[in-house]
Amino acid sequence: MVVIIFVVALATAIVTTSSAAPLPASTNVYVDPHQSSCKGGGTFSCTIVLDAKQGSLDTSWVKSVQINGTNTQPAVTASGGSVTILATLPSITMQHGLGDVGPSQRPPTVGSIVIDLSDGTTVSVFLGPGGILQ
């Protein structure tokens, strides 16, 4: 009986310590919705442009990029104080066209992109059937 309690307590401790708390959302860095886009097809690809409300960004700001929880190996470039991220995955297909969406309803989402920043915060966007949702 003592062994069972020990095993359950150990398993609980491992699960608790291995699930990291989500990072807070950035209050300074944001996704530029007019320059960012995603498209489906044989390869799902997103171009995400990050800007800062104050200061400028460089490539060292981008720590990691996940699409629907899958880590990607993005290409990150900096230009004019903003950062452009090109991330691809082979397995997401997007279907275009939305059904009727009223003023009190949000468009359906098909996933999300989460960018971990070097300052310990994140920037995220939701993906809809037609691309990035504002």
Side-chain angles (χ1 to χ4, degrees):
M1 175 99 162
V2 173
V3 172
I4 293 172
I5 293 171
F6 176 73
V7 170
V8 170
L10 182 62
T12 304
I14 290 172
V15 169
T16 303
T17 58
S18 68
S19 59
L23 297 174
S26 178
T27 57
N28 185 45
V29 179
Y30 65 96
V31 173
D32 183 331
H34 303 293
Q35 295 184 36
S36 302
S37 65
C38 292
K39 60 183 175 187
T43 299
F44 176 80
S45 65
C46 283
T47 300
I48 305 293
V49 177
L50 300 180
D51 286 321
K53 293 176 185 174
Q54 295 180 346
S56 61
L57 303 174
D58 62 39
T59 58
S60 67
W61 275 79
V62 178
K63 187 174 170 184
S64 67
V65 178
Q66 291 184 348
I67 300 175
N68 286 354
T70 301
N71 286 322
T72 65
Q73 298 297 321
V76 182
T77 57
S79 175
S82 65
V83 170
T84 301
I85 302 166
L86 176 59
T88 60
L89 280 181
S91 61
I92 298 176
T93 57
M94 299 180 75
Q95 300 176 12
H96 293 281
L98 292 172
D100 291 334
V101 177
S104 64
Q105 296 174 311
R106 290 184 51 104
T109 62
V110 295
S112 66
I113 298 174
V114 178
I115 303 161
D116 292 337
L117 302 174
S118 61
D119 67 353
T121 62
T122 64
V123 176
S124 61
V125 292
F126 287 106
L127 301 174
I132 294 174
L133 299 176
Q134 308 281 335

